[in-house]
Amino acid sequence: MSENERAASRTAVLVCQGRAAADGRTAVGRFADPVAVRLLRAEERVRVDEVRAGTPPRGWQARTAYESVRACAEVVGARTVAIDEALRARPAGQLVILGAGLDTRAWRLAELARTDVWEVDHPASQRDKRARLGAAEPAPVALARSVRFTPVDFAADGLGAALDAAGHDPAAPTTWLWEGVVPYLTRDQVRATLRALTARTAPGSTLVVNYQTPSPKATAGRLLARLLGSSATAGEPWLSLWTPRQMAALLTEYGLRVTSDDGLLAVARTLGTPPRHRTSLDSGRVAVAESG
Ligand SMILES: C[S@@+](CC[C@H](N)C(=O)[O-])C[C@H]1O[C@@H](n2cnc3c(N)ncnc32)[C@H](O)[C@@H]1O
């Protein structure tokens, strides 16, 4: 299978399971994702229901998958709060979600009523999402002004040309959201994507980027999950990790000024429940950068 023919992202499903498990359980009042569960297939909902009920399954393979969803619920709860609050603080007419996966913001954030949303993703993942949206019951209703699906393989395709073809206006301010994608790209692919997006970044634009910092414990945890047969992360290894200093230097190089950079553990501590999965939270960050 060539890079462009690869399968739909499994990690996108895992984070969607995490959001479905966290809905109504984590940070109520600051986090809600009632749409996530509707994008999951019946067999994917089983682990979500177990996590919500706090009833771990028998058997090590099922138990590993259960623990992945449970840990993911805590991480994506904090990550979603940090990102949603950043987006609400900076309403823009255009929102481009890079590596959108099963992101539900266009269907759950009423604040996007005057925003056109471009969902950019690998063609295989995007096909899968559109099939899930088509099968969802009840069908999610977009709250954003429009949603435009834009297939792009960051490893092979031109982001700029794809956005041009999809009607994105480079002269108008854009909020760029890059959540849960940077670690899956090489440093060169991260730079190429930044180059393409900053070439279409008008004054008044913002980039909200979630990235992973180097963490021997988090890397060992992913390796262990892989060895134990967690199929969600097995085919999608981390390819680039960045310290906050490296990320700030990178964004500055592309003309963006970092205005905040928060660790997810610190965000999780504001959510009311003492964090359990400290290693995963500790290595995730959300930075906000403004155009010059
Ligand atoms: C962990 S998922 C995150 C999805 C979503 N942003 C979220 O947080 O729910 C990673 C996403 O990155 C996308 N991705 C990874 N490598 C990519 C590439 N080379 N080109 C386009 N998308 C890619 C996958 O298709 C997938 O949707």
Side-chain angles (χ1 to χ4, degrees):
M1 196 184 281
S2 78
E3 175 65 16
N4 216 282
E5 288 164 350
R6 72 184 189 187
S9 168
R10 300 291 304 271
T11 58
V13 175
L14 175 62
V15 286
C16 187
Q17 288 175 302
R19 286 192 297 265
D23 180 48
R25 296 280 195 280
T26 300
V28 177
R30 289 177 74 191
F31 170 85
D33 190 345
V35 181
V37 70
R38 284 143 70 186
L39 297 184
L40 296 173
R41 305 204 166 100
E43 67 276 15
E44 295 160 353
R45 290 184 192 187
V46 172
R47 296 284 97 85
V48 171
D49 293 341
E50 289 165 350
V51 170
R52 291 176 67 81
T55 50
R58 286 166 184 262
W60 61 268
Q61 228 163 358
R63 181 65 191 252
T64 306
Y66 168 93
E67 293 300 342
S68 297
V69 172
R70 189 167 72 155
C72 188
E74 191 172 64
V75 173
V76 297
R79 181 165 117 180
T80 307
V81 165
I83 292 172
D84 286 357
E85 291 179 357
L87 296 182
R88 288 193 180 104
R90 296 163 188 79
Q94 304 190 110
L95 170 64
V96 178
I97 305 180
L98 300 161
L102 301 179
D103 189 291
T104 54
R105 291 186 174 85
W107 294 269
R108 69 176 174 82
L109 291 185
E111 291 84 351
L112 297 179
R114 289 194 282 179
T115 301
D116 297 309
V117 175
W118 283 261
E119 287 220 342
V120 177
D121 207 350
H122 191 279
S125 302
Q126 196 158 83
R127 264 195 307 278
D128 179 57
K129 181 178 196 169
R130 297 184 77 166
R132 288 168 184 269
L133 281 166
E137 284 181 18
V141 175
L143 303 182
R145 183 163 57 197
S146 69
V147 187
R148 304 176 200 190
F149 293 100
T150 313
V152 173
D153 178 353
F154 297 128
D157 304 326
L159 174 64
L163 284 172
D164 261 338
H168 172 256
D169 180 1
T174 298
T175 301
W176 303 90
L177 171 57
W178 210 4
E179 178 187 15
V181 187
V182 168
Y184 301 105
L185 303 179
T186 63
R187 283 179 130 68
D188 283 350
Q189 289 162 1
V190 169
R191 284 176 179 282
T193 305
L194 271 174
R195 200 174 309 120
L197 79 86
T198 50
R200 335 181 37 92
T201 292
S205 298
T206 307
L207 169 67
V208 181
V209 56
N210 159 237
Y211 66 99
Q212 293 295 128
T213 58
S215 158
K217 268 169 97 178
T219 304
R222 282 177 72 86
L223 187 62
L224 185 64
R226 223 166 138 178
L227 292 174
L228 290 176
S230 166
S231 49
T233 54
E236 296 169 63
W238 281 348
L239 301 175
S240 75
L241 305 170
W242 305 77
T243 65
R245 189 191 286 258
Q246 288 171 334
M247 183 51 69
L250 177 76
L251 297 178
T252 303
E253 202 183 309
Y254 288 91
L256 297 166
R257 188 172 46 88
V258 175
T259 54
S260 67
D261 186 347
D262 296 315
L264 294 185
L265 184 56
V267 177
R269 286 192 173 121
T270 70
L271 301 182
T273 322
R276 299 175 56 159
H277 300 279
R278 294 173 50 101
T279 302
S280 310
L281 283 163
D282 211 18
S283 60
R285 302 188 71 83
V286 172
V288 177
E290 314 278 352
S291 60

